[in-house]
Amino acid sequence: MNPTLSHDMSVVSLITGASVLVQIVMLLLLLASLLSWYYIFLKIFTLKRATRLADDFEREFWSGSDLNELYQRAVNSRSSAGSLERIFEAGFREFAKHKKQSGMDISVLMDSTRRAMRATYQREMDRLESHLAFLASVGSVSPYVGLFGTVWGIMNAFRGLANVAQATLGHVAPGIAEALIATAMGLFAAIPAVVAYNRFAGDVNRLATRFDSFMEEFSNILQRQVH
Amino acid sequence: MTYNDITPNERTMAGALALVMHLLFFVLLVFGVSWQKKQADPVAIVDLWSTLPPLPQPKVETPPVAEAKPPPEPPQPPPKAEPKPLPKPEPKPVVKPDIALKEKLEKERKQKEQETAEAKKRELEKARELKEKQAKEAEAKRLARDQEEALKKLAQQQAAQAAAQQKLIDEYKGRIREKIKRFIVEPPNLSPGTQVEFDIVVLPGGEILGVKLKRPSGVAAYDNAVERAILKAQPLPLPPDPALFKEFRELNLQFRPEQK
């Protein structure tokens, strides 16, 4: 090692100069970061769209249009329907089926309707929550992975110090800087993942509350129709 | 239900955005952040020096002795002195037997001739051998001289280097003394003969690990003033070449009051 203090400290040289294990760790973190950002953007798009579709459907639903007409439209545009529309469709289908068989107990009718809506609701929630687990694990694990790379790099830096008679800061500093890059990358991957996870979990929760309350209100409307 | 919630369009968009984000960050990191800071001098004191301390010498590579000129070509041995071809004994015309004496004389002459030719040849050979021997000797002498010269040169160079190092060491010792001296606040009424001696242990950065009063001056106030000055003078100026640091690890410094 050159004892003069003129080490090249640019980011590129720090990365290329690191040991193999640290480089593997950095590669891993880079992949995790790329993937988590991919999911972050994907989730931004899908959640935005889900909220917009739910807004649209709620507006339409509460503007007093005919339930049968709404149902027909939901069936026709199934592929582009929002979650709320699908819940409505499942519930109304079940309700209409049972209504044809007259002489059915009203509580049984409402129960099966509600079950049908609940099943669709679960499916929709699962879809909305997909990939959130990945963001959560990136957010919690990648700092540790980066720390591991750093510890390894610092171990190497100090081992290189063992056969130097005069240990100056100039001997260890480049090695430590190299190693710390790994922690920086781990944090770089983790921070957006954690922030995005919290944000998306909140968004999904609010959507879930809306779906829940819609299901309750819709059940009430259907029950009133039976009488 | 067979619906696809995420359109492929969105997928590519998300992937591209993620890539762009990372690229932007990387570019910012590489070109935006300069981690190589100029080392600022922690103490803003201007040292006035008549001569600049010599720059840290580049590592002197010992000039390899063997490299000093290939030994000169051995002098070509003189072209072989070709022994003169003996005069061909001409075939004698058959002489008449009655001139036996003449024949005898002829024979003698011939023998003589042959002898002289051989002697000549021997002489020539001897001369050649002598010449060769001389050349060889000269060559050996020259080689030895070359080697000696190279050695001398090397020694000279080493001596020069050592001298330069010594000069550097002395300069820096002087600088250290000067720097400390600047911080001494002398108590009044010192007798001119006062002298105090300190042993200092220095760390590589120029920090002082320990100060020991070796020989007190007898005036406690002056001793204390010097000790304070030594501590205040941190970091001590050290030569930039870390190899020289061992000369500065333990310093013995003597101070006497400024003559007014």
Side-chain angles (χ1 to χ4, degrees), chain B residues 26-66:
Chain B
F26 189 73
V27 165
L28 194 83
L29 209 62
V30 170
F31 296 106
V33 187
S34 167
W35 285 344
Q36 190 113 53
K37 275 201 184 135
K38 287 267 177 288
Q39 208 123 35
D41 206 8
V43 191
I45 293 174
V46 182
D47 285 349
L48 291 175
W49 284 88
S50 51
T51 57
L52 276 174
L55 291 172
Q57 285 168 327
K59 284 265 177 279
V60 274
E61 58 264 5
T62 47
V65 179

Side-chain angles (χ1 to χ4, degrees), chain A residues 5 7-9 11-12 14 33-34 37-38 41-42 45-46 49 86 120 123-124 127 166 168 181 188, chain B residues 1 3 5-7 10-11 13-15 17-19 21-22 25-26 29-30 35-36 39 204 242 245:
Chain A
L5 283 169
H7 291 284
D8 188 11
M9 293 288 275
V11 178
V12 180
L14 284 182
S33 175
L34 272 171
W37 273 100
Y38 170 69
F41 284 118
L42 217 57
F45 295 150
T46 51
R49 204 170 37 151
R86 286 192 193 124
T120 312
R123 220 170 283 133
E124 291 298 317
R127 212 159 45 82
Q166 279 178 31
T168 60
I181 284 271
F188 173 69
Chain B
M1 287 194 183
Y3 45 76
D5 191 31
I6 305 160
T7 60
E10 273 176 351
R11 273 183 200 283
M13 185 93 165
L17 275 175
L19 272 177
M21 247 254 355
H22 281 80
F25 185 77
F26 189 73
L29 209 62
V30 170
W35 285 344
Q36 190 113 53
Q39 208 123 35
F245 174 71

Side-chain angles (χ1 to χ4, degrees), chain B residues 194-209:
Chain B
T194 1
Q195 181 174 343
V196 67
E197 200 175 327
F198 276 97
D199 275 340
I200 304 175
V201 183
V202 185
L203 289 177
E207 266 82 54
I208 292 166
L209 186 65

